[in-house]
Amino acid sequence: MREVYLDNAATTYPKPEAVYAALERFAREVGGNPGRGGHARSLEAGREVLRARDAVARLLRVGDPSRVIFTKNATEALNVAIQGVMRGGGHAVITSLEHNSVWRPLEAMARSGAITYSIVECGKDGALEPSAVRAAITPETRLIACVHASNVTGGLLPVEDIAEIADERRIAFLLDAAQTAGRKELHPEAMGVHYLAFSGHKELFGPQGTGVLYIASGWEVEPLSYGGTGSLSESSSQPEFLPDRYESGTLNAFGLAGLRAGVEFVLEAGVENIRGHEEELTLRMLEGLDRMKGITVYGPRDWERRVGIVSFNLAGLTSSEVASRLDDAYGIRVRSGLHCSPLAHRTIGTLESGVVRAGLSYLNTAEDVDLLLEALGAMLSSV
Ligand SMILES: Cc1ncc(COP(=O)(O)O)c(C=O)c1O
């Protein structure tokens, strides 16, 4: 049985060969702690981290690579921005498609009485009216946080309009690009994004344990953690300069060596080509699903408003039954349930059922899509 991996929205598998090679090279041939010593292995580890930072800065077209901060995942990056901006209190605005990595930190701060926040409701198809964001702003609003593409519907949000609204009011704008980094052009300076957070292990093909936070000039906040940075060690204060201000403790240099190779793979393939490939596969999947009776597909249909994540349910089966049958009987890996995004499921009406989610990557093929469609066809005829 040929395995079909379609859980790329959780984490990509497989990775490009260059990523495995970079990980092996670091583990076997480098091995030092970056920025922590003057010896050859430490210096080479430091150069690996610099190369990773430069690669991400090129991807984002950010002039100053020190604004690229490495974190352990998107969640940590989002928390630095959210807790940093909201530290002194105030009001935040989010959408009803946010992941728990945005919702939970705000909810925790709100429960402790430190802040308030509003959730702007999106339509059942995941569409967001930018004027609803403007209407939710109060004189106390300090942060607007918004997902770029929903990890449940695959739908893109009108982030350029939201950035404009944030800019008009001088409100911090945080973009959760966990599902768009590597598969959609992402240029925070041109887009007016003040904080950009994403994972390294999804469409950038890095290993798990890698994430990025970009902070625009003038929007620096207090860090979440303090400690050794390998710089200004004589001082009891955290360095003010970036990236050290936000990178306390030993970095995941091993993972970052892999992330560098993943980002270079994306740059070489070209983000627009990656998007074109995913368009082809996504439309093939959507058309195939549309031909079957008994399947409900969620999210927008128009490619301009989506990325390569397709969510659906089969009549007569729960989403977890579908996912485990696909896994056991067909070797097809998808994810069922709520995908850490109960707000999004409430929005599209699937909080009870969850959905089956097929997440594509650049390394999937048309044959992968056809094998999924065949398996679903066989399952439907036996329900
Ligand atoms: C939209 C969105 N935001 C945030 C995250 C959190 O990413 P990580 O698990 O890398 O922290 C995810 C992960 O699936 C996501 O899809």
Side-chain angles (χ1 to χ4, degrees):
M1 184 166 53
R2 164 149 142 26
E3 182 184 5
V4 177
Y5 185 83
L6 289 173
D7 196 18
N8 293 291
T11 200
T12 43
Y13 176 86
K15 309 294 183 186
E17 275 310 313
V19 173
Y20 297 123
L23 290 170
E24 179 159 12
R25 188 189 98 83
F26 189 92
R28 289 189 188 282
E29 295 170 28
V30 183
N33 192 326
R36 298 297 195 277
H39 61 76
R41 291 194 184 281
S42 172
L43 293 176
E44 182 53 16
R47 281 192 287 270
E48 276 291 353
V49 171
L50 270 184
R51 285 193 277 268
R53 219 182 288 287
D54 284 347
V56 174
R58 268 186 283 135
L59 179 79
L60 303 181
R61 298 197 191 143
V62 162
D64 175 4
S66 71
R67 303 218 148 260
V68 171
I69 291 144
F70 288 126
T71 60
K72 73 174 191 282
N73 47 37
T75 301
E76 190 181 43
L78 289 162
N79 268 272
V80 172
I82 292 169
Q83 297 192 48
V85 172
M86 300 308 293
R87 182 178 265 252
H91 172 255
V93 175
I94 64 172
T95 81
S96 71
L97 291 178
E98 300 312 313
H99 190 271
N100 275 344
S101 50
V102 167
W103 190 28
R104 284 182 173 171
L106 286 169
E107 180 60 25
M109 293 177 95
R111 277 193 204 164
S112 75
I115 67 155
T116 58
Y117 71 97
S118 305
I119 300 175
V120 177
E121 292 299 327
C122 301
K124 218 170 171 313
D125 66 345
L128 174 71
E129 193 44 65
S131 61
V133 173
R134 185 178 271 112
I137 293 171
T138 74
E140 278 74 47
T141 304
R142 301 178 61 174
L143 174 70
I144 300 174
C146 170
V147 71
H148 196 181
S150 162
N151 62 313
V152 174
T153 65
L156 287 160
L157 291 188
V159 295
E160 287 79 7
D161 297 335
I162 300 171
E164 239 180 80
I165 294 169
D167 185 55
E168 273 167 27
R169 311 279 183 106
R170 285 292 292 166
I171 295 170
F173 181 42
L174 163 63
L175 187 62
D176 172 1
Q179 296 297 345
T180 48
R183 54 160 46 134
K184 187 139 181 41
E185 293 290 356
L186 201 57
H187 308 135
E189 289 171 354
M191 291 166 83
V193 171
H194 306 123
Y195 305 91
L196 178 70
F198 52 88
S199 321
H201 61 92
K202 297 185 195 276
E203 281 282 309
L204 293 174
F205 297 107
Q208 292 170 19
T210 58
V212 170
L213 175 65
Y214 157 84
I215 301 184
S217 175
W219 293 87
E220 296 81 2
V221 288
E222 281 299 311
L224 265 195
S225 63
Y226 300 79
T229 55
S231 54
L232 299 185
S233 296
E234 69 288 358
S235 168
S236 62
S237 301
Q238 189 76 4
E240 288 289 313
F241 54 85
L242 273 58
D244 296 30
R245 187 167 176 183
Y246 301 100
E247 289 182 352
S248 293
T250 299
L251 279 171
N252 176 12
F254 165 75
L256 295 175
L259 177 61
R260 192 259 311 144
V263 172
E264 284 177 355
F265 173 84
V266 166
L267 285 166
E268 217 161 281
V271 173
E272 279 310 317
N273 294 331
I274 290 174
R275 185 152 168 78
H277 180 68
E278 286 194 12
E279 174 179 8
E280 207 176 292
L281 299 190
T282 304
L283 297 183
R284 189 180 186 97
M285 194 181 289
L286 288 171
E287 280 159 21
L289 293 173
D290 280 347
R291 279 197 297 273
M292 291 181 207
K293 282 213 167 54
I295 295 204
T296 307
V297 181
Y298 303 93
R301 307 310 296 242
D302 172 10
W303 175 250
E304 289 311 307
R305 290 179 52 214
R306 60 154 42 253
V307 296
I309 294 172
V310 178
S311 289
F312 54 89
N313 271 318
L314 263 69
L317 290 173
T318 66
S319 65
S320 50
E321 279 168 342
V322 175
S324 60
R325 280 200 208 178
L326 287 172
D327 189 32
D328 297 342
Y330 300 95
I332 299 176
R333 323 293 180 211
V334 293
R335 182 168 168 200
S336 62
L338 298 183
H339 315 92
C340 299
S341 299
L343 280 179
H345 281 280
R346 195 195 67 199
T347 302
I348 66 169
T350 52
L351 194 53
E352 298 299 319
S353 60
V355 298
V356 183
R357 182 182 74 180
L360 291 157
S361 99
Y362 185 56
L363 298 182
N364 283 122
T365 61
E367 195 194 350
D368 292 341
V369 174
D370 294 348
L371 286 169
L372 172 72
L373 294 172
E374 264 171 45
L376 292 173
M379 280 168 64
L380 278 169
S381 58
S382 68
V383 174

PDB file of all heavy atoms in Angstrom, residues 158-179:
ATOM      1  N   PRO A 158      -8.913  39.028   4.550  1.00  0.00           N
ATOM      2  CA  PRO A 158      -8.487  40.266   3.860  1.00  0.00           C
ATOM      3  C   PRO A 158      -7.485  41.062   4.700  1.00  0.00           C
ATOM      4  O   PRO A 158      -7.790  42.127   5.232  1.00  0.00           O
ATOM      5  CB  PRO A 158      -9.811  41.024   3.686  1.00  0.00           C
ATOM      6  CG  PRO A 158     -10.657  40.558   4.811  1.00  0.00           C
ATOM      7  CD  PRO A 158     -10.265  39.143   5.125  1.00  0.00           C
ATOM      8  N   VAL A 159      -6.276  40.519   4.831  1.00  0.00           N
ATOM      9  CA  VAL A 159      -5.325  41.078   5.796  1.00  0.00           C
ATOM     10  C   VAL A 159      -4.795  42.445   5.375  1.00  0.00           C
ATOM     11  O   VAL A 159      -4.407  43.248   6.226  1.00  0.00           O
ATOM     12  CB  VAL A 159      -4.171  40.098   6.080  1.00  0.00           C
ATOM     13  CG1 VAL A 159      -4.700  38.857   6.768  1.00  0.00           C
ATOM     14  CG2 VAL A 159      -3.411  39.723   4.835  1.00  0.00           C
ATOM     15  N   GLU A 160      -4.792  42.718   4.060  1.00  0.00           N
ATOM     16  CA  GLU A 160      -4.313  44.045   3.625  1.00  0.00           C
ATOM     17  C   GLU A 160      -5.268  45.124   4.146  1.00  0.00           C
ATOM     18  O   GLU A 160      -4.826  46.171   4.634  1.00  0.00           O
ATOM     19  CB  GLU A 160      -4.201  44.120   2.094  1.00  0.00           C
ATOM     20  CG  GLU A 160      -3.039  43.334   1.498  1.00  0.00           C
ATOM     21  CD  GLU A 160      -3.294  41.829   1.389  1.00  0.00           C
ATOM     22  OE1 GLU A 160      -4.446  41.385   1.666  1.00  0.00           O
ATOM     23  OE2 GLU A 160      -2.348  41.090   1.050  1.00  0.00           O
ATOM     24  N   ASP A 161      -6.573  44.855   4.051  1.00  0.00           N
ATOM     25  CA  ASP A 161      -7.571  45.829   4.551  1.00  0.00           C
ATOM     26  C   ASP A 161      -7.436  46.003   6.063  1.00  0.00           C
ATOM     27  O   ASP A 161      -7.548  47.113   6.593  1.00  0.00           O
ATOM     28  CB  ASP A 161      -8.996  45.354   4.237  1.00  0.00           C
ATOM     29  CG  ASP A 161      -9.240  45.268   2.740  1.00  0.00           C
ATOM     30  OD1 ASP A 161      -8.555  45.982   1.997  1.00  0.00           O
ATOM     31  OD2 ASP A 161     -10.103  44.477   2.313  1.00  0.00           O
ATOM     32  N   ILE A 162      -7.208  44.888   6.749  1.00  0.00           N
ATOM     33  CA  ILE A 162      -7.108  44.959   8.213  1.00  0.00           C
ATOM     34  C   ILE A 162      -5.837  45.717   8.606  1.00  0.00           C
ATOM     35  O   ILE A 162      -5.838  46.519   9.556  1.00  0.00           O
ATOM     36  CB  ILE A 162      -7.147  43.545   8.829  1.00  0.00           C
ATOM     37  CG1 ILE A 162      -8.467  42.863   8.455  1.00  0.00           C
ATOM     38  CG2 ILE A 162      -7.001  43.600  10.354  1.00  0.00           C
ATOM     39  CD1 ILE A 162      -8.548  41.407   8.810  1.00  0.00           C
ATOM     40  N   ALA A 163      -4.761  45.487   7.862  1.00  0.00           N
ATOM     41  CA  ALA A 163      -3.510  46.216   8.146  1.00  0.00           C
ATOM     42  C   ALA A 163      -3.742  47.717   7.997  1.00  0.00           C
ATOM     43  O   ALA A 163      -3.226  48.523   8.784  1.00  0.00           O
ATOM     44  CB  ALA A 163      -2.407  45.745   7.204  1.00  0.00           C
ATOM     45  N   GLU A 164      -4.516  48.095   6.992  1.00  0.00           N
ATOM     46  CA  GLU A 164      -4.798  49.522   6.767  1.00  0.00           C
ATOM     47  C   GLU A 164      -5.565  50.125   7.939  1.00  0.00           C
ATOM     48  O   GLU A 164      -5.266  51.236   8.392  1.00  0.00           O
ATOM     49  CB  GLU A 164      -5.649  49.649   5.499  1.00  0.00           C
ATOM     50  CG  GLU A 164      -4.995  50.491   4.431  1.00  0.00           C
ATOM     51  CD  GLU A 164      -5.885  50.573   3.215  1.00  0.00           C
ATOM     52  OE1 GLU A 164      -6.839  51.379   3.212  1.00  0.00           O
ATOM     53  OE2 GLU A 164      -5.607  49.780   2.292  1.00  0.00           O
ATOM     54  N   ILE A 165      -6.543  49.350   8.424  1.00  0.00           N
ATOM     55  CA  ILE A 165      -7.349  49.820   9.561  1.00  0.00           C
ATOM     56  C   ILE A 165      -6.447  49.988  10.788  1.00  0.00           C
ATOM     57  O   ILE A 165      -6.515  50.997  11.505  1.00  0.00           O
ATOM     58  CB  ILE A 165      -8.495  48.822   9.858  1.00  0.00           C
ATOM     59  CG1 ILE A 165      -9.486  48.798   8.686  1.00  0.00           C
ATOM     60  CG2 ILE A 165      -9.190  49.149  11.172  1.00  0.00           C
ATOM     61  CD1 ILE A 165     -10.500  47.672   8.732  1.00  0.00           C
ATOM     62  N   ALA A 166      -5.565  49.009  11.024  1.00  0.00           N
ATOM     63  CA  ALA A 166      -4.651  49.075  12.174  1.00  0.00           C
ATOM     64  C   ALA A 166      -3.743  50.289  12.047  1.00  0.00           C
ATOM     65  O   ALA A 166      -3.495  51.015  13.016  1.00  0.00           O
ATOM     66  CB  ALA A 166      -3.836  47.789  12.270  1.00  0.00           C
ATOM     67  N   ASP A 167      -3.269  50.526  10.816  1.00  0.00           N
ATOM     68  CA  ASP A 167      -2.353  51.636  10.576  1.00  0.00           C
ATOM     69  C   ASP A 167      -3.031  52.989  10.829  1.00  0.00           C
ATOM     70  O   ASP A 167      -2.445  53.881  11.459  1.00  0.00           O
ATOM     71  CB  ASP A 167      -1.849  51.534   9.127  1.00  0.00           C
ATOM     72  CG  ASP A 167      -0.808  52.581   8.838  1.00  0.00           C
ATOM     73  OD1 ASP A 167       0.181  52.617   9.597  1.00  0.00           O
ATOM     74  OD2 ASP A 167      -0.986  53.379   7.893  1.00  0.00           O
ATOM     75  N   GLU A 168      -4.284  53.111  10.340  1.00  0.00           N
ATOM     76  CA  GLU A 168      -5.047  54.368  10.562  1.00  0.00           C
ATOM     77  C   GLU A 168      -5.083  54.741  12.030  1.00  0.00           C
ATOM     78  O   GLU A 168      -5.000  55.899  12.407  1.00  0.00           O
ATOM     79  CB  GLU A 168      -6.523  54.151  10.165  1.00  0.00           C
ATOM     80  CG  GLU A 168      -6.870  54.375   8.733  1.00  0.00           C
ATOM     81  CD  GLU A 168      -8.276  53.809   8.466  1.00  0.00           C
ATOM     82  OE1 GLU A 168      -9.112  53.739   9.392  1.00  0.00           O
ATOM     83  OE2 GLU A 168      -8.501  53.416   7.291  1.00  0.00           O
ATOM     84  N   ARG A 169      -5.255  53.697  12.897  1.00  0.00           N
ATOM     85  CA  ARG A 169      -5.425  53.959  14.340  1.00  0.00           C
ATOM     86  C   ARG A 169      -4.145  53.763  15.147  1.00  0.00           C
ATOM     87  O   ARG A 169      -4.207  53.772  16.376  1.00  0.00           O
ATOM     88  CB  ARG A 169      -6.501  53.021  14.917  1.00  0.00           C
ATOM     89  CG  ARG A 169      -7.778  52.970  14.123  1.00  0.00           C
ATOM     90  CD  ARG A 169      -8.650  54.171  14.470  1.00  0.00           C
ATOM     91  NE  ARG A 169      -9.909  54.096  13.755  1.00  0.00           N
ATOM     92  CZ  ARG A 169     -11.066  53.772  14.316  1.00  0.00           C
ATOM     93  NH1 ARG A 169     -11.131  53.497  15.573  1.00  0.00           N
ATOM     94  NH2 ARG A 169     -12.153  53.728  13.574  1.00  0.00           N
ATOM     95  N   ARG A 170      -3.043  53.472  14.453  1.00  0.00           N
ATOM     96  CA  ARG A 170      -1.763  53.178  15.141  1.00  0.00           C
ATOM     97  C   ARG A 170      -1.929  52.047  16.154  1.00  0.00           C
ATOM     98  O   ARG A 170      -1.436  52.093  17.285  1.00  0.00           O
ATOM     99  CB  ARG A 170      -1.196  54.425  15.846  1.00  0.00           C
ATOM    100  CG  ARG A 170      -0.576  55.437  14.920  1.00  0.00           C
ATOM    101  CD  ARG A 170       0.699  54.976  14.251  1.00  0.00           C
ATOM    102  NE  ARG A 170       1.849  54.799  15.133  1.00  0.00           N
ATOM    103  CZ  ARG A 170       2.964  54.153  14.770  1.00  0.00           C
ATOM    104  NH1 ARG A 170       3.072  53.607  13.573  1.00  0.00           N
ATOM    105  NH2 ARG A 170       3.970  54.038  15.613  1.00  0.00           N
ATOM    106  N   ILE A 171      -2.661  51.004  15.734  1.00  0.00           N
ATOM    107  CA  ILE A 171      -2.854  49.827  16.587  1.00  0.00           C
ATOM    108  C   ILE A 171      -1.907  48.738  16.093  1.00  0.00           C
ATOM    109  O   ILE A 171      -1.705  48.584  14.881  1.00  0.00           O
ATOM    110  CB  ILE A 171      -4.328  49.345  16.495  1.00  0.00           C
ATOM    111  CG1 ILE A 171      -5.259  50.402  17.075  1.00  0.00           C
ATOM    112  CG2 ILE A 171      -4.512  48.008  17.202  1.00  0.00           C
ATOM    113  CD1 ILE A 171      -6.724  50.143  16.813  1.00  0.00           C
ATOM    114  N   ALA A 172      -1.324  47.977  17.040  1.00  0.00           N
ATOM    115  CA  ALA A 172      -0.409  46.895  16.653  1.00  0.00           C
ATOM    116  C   ALA A 172      -1.171  45.836  15.852  1.00  0.00           C
ATOM    117  O   ALA A 172      -2.277  45.443  16.240  1.00  0.00           O
ATOM    118  CB  ALA A 172       0.181  46.264  17.910  1.00  0.00           C
ATOM    119  N   PHE A 173      -0.562  45.388  14.749  1.00  0.00           N
ATOM    120  CA  PHE A 173      -1.202  44.367  13.921  1.00  0.00           C
ATOM    121  C   PHE A 173      -0.338  43.115  13.896  1.00  0.00           C
ATOM    122  O   PHE A 173       0.808  43.137  13.440  1.00  0.00           O
ATOM    123  CB  PHE A 173      -1.416  44.899  12.496  1.00  0.00           C
ATOM    124  CG  PHE A 173      -2.089  43.889  11.591  1.00  0.00           C
ATOM    125  CD1 PHE A 173      -3.154  43.118  12.042  1.00  0.00           C
ATOM    126  CD2 PHE A 173      -1.658  43.710  10.283  1.00  0.00           C
ATOM    127  CE1 PHE A 173      -3.774  42.180  11.224  1.00  0.00           C
ATOM    128  CE2 PHE A 173      -2.266  42.777   9.446  1.00  0.00           C
ATOM    129  CZ  PHE A 173      -3.327  42.013   9.926  1.00  0.00           C
ATOM    130  N   LEU A 174      -0.913  42.026  14.422  1.00  0.00           N
ATOM    131  CA  LEU A 174      -0.225  40.725  14.485  1.00  0.00           C
ATOM    132  C   LEU A 174      -0.868  39.782  13.478  1.00  0.00           C
ATOM    133  O   LEU A 174      -2.090  39.571  13.508  1.00  0.00           O
ATOM    134  CB  LEU A 174      -0.372  40.155  15.908  1.00  0.00           C
ATOM    135  CG  LEU A 174      -0.083  38.660  16.089  1.00  0.00           C
ATOM    136  CD1 LEU A 174       1.376  38.323  15.749  1.00  0.00           C
ATOM    137  CD2 LEU A 174      -0.384  38.242  17.545  1.00  0.00           C
ATOM    138  N   LEU A 175      -0.040  39.231  12.604  1.00  0.00           N
ATOM    139  CA  LEU A 175      -0.552  38.287  11.604  1.00  0.00           C
ATOM    140  C   LEU A 175      -0.041  36.890  11.917  1.00  0.00           C
ATOM    141  O   LEU A 175       1.170  36.664  12.034  1.00  0.00           O
ATOM    142  CB  LEU A 175      -0.093  38.722  10.201  1.00  0.00           C
ATOM    143  CG  LEU A 175      -0.692  37.923   9.044  1.00  0.00           C
ATOM    144  CD1 LEU A 175      -2.212  38.078   8.985  1.00  0.00           C
ATOM    145  CD2 LEU A 175      -0.079  38.340   7.716  1.00  0.00           C
ATOM    146  N   ASP A 176      -0.979  35.952  12.045  1.00  0.00           N
ATOM    147  CA  ASP A 176      -0.641  34.542  12.254  1.00  0.00           C
ATOM    148  C   ASP A 176      -0.548  33.885  10.877  1.00  0.00           C
ATOM    149  O   ASP A 176      -1.556  33.559  10.265  1.00  0.00           O
ATOM    150  CB  ASP A 176      -1.729  33.892  13.118  1.00  0.00           C
ATOM    151  CG  ASP A 176      -1.554  32.380  13.232  1.00  0.00           C
ATOM    152  OD1 ASP A 176      -0.585  31.841  12.654  1.00  0.00           O
ATOM    153  OD2 ASP A 176      -2.396  31.752  13.895  1.00  0.00           O
ATOM    154  N   ALA A 177       0.693  33.718  10.423  1.00  0.00           N
ATOM    155  CA  ALA A 177       0.908  33.186   9.069  1.00  0.00           C
ATOM    156  C   ALA A 177       1.344  31.715   9.109  1.00  0.00           C
ATOM    157  O   ALA A 177       2.019  31.236   8.192  1.00  0.00           O
ATOM    158  CB  ALA A 177       1.958  34.036   8.350  1.00  0.00           C
ATOM    159  N   ALA A 178       0.900  31.003  10.155  1.00  0.00           N
ATOM    160  CA  ALA A 178       1.313  29.589  10.287  1.00  0.00           C
ATOM    161  C   ALA A 178       0.964  28.791   9.027  1.00  0.00           C
ATOM    162  O   ALA A 178       1.701  27.897   8.633  1.00  0.00           O
ATOM    163  CB  ALA A 178       0.658  28.960  11.514  1.00  0.00           C
ATOM    164  N   GLN A 179      -0.173  29.124   8.399  1.00  0.00           N
ATOM    165  CA  GLN A 179      -0.598  28.346   7.235  1.00  0.00           C
ATOM    166  C   GLN A 179      -0.270  28.998   5.894  1.00  0.00           C
ATOM    167  O   GLN A 179      -0.662  28.474   4.847  1.00  0.00           O
ATOM    168  CB  GLN A 179      -2.113  28.050   7.314  1.00  0.00           C
ATOM    169  CG  GLN A 179      -2.498  27.175   8.487  1.00  0.00           C
ATOM    170  CD  GLN A 179      -1.884  25.774   8.426  1.00  0.00           C
ATOM    171  OE1 GLN A 179      -1.377  25.328   7.396  1.00  0.00           O
ATOM    172  NE2 GLN A 179      -1.924  25.062   9.546  1.00  0.00           N
TER     173      GLN A 179
END
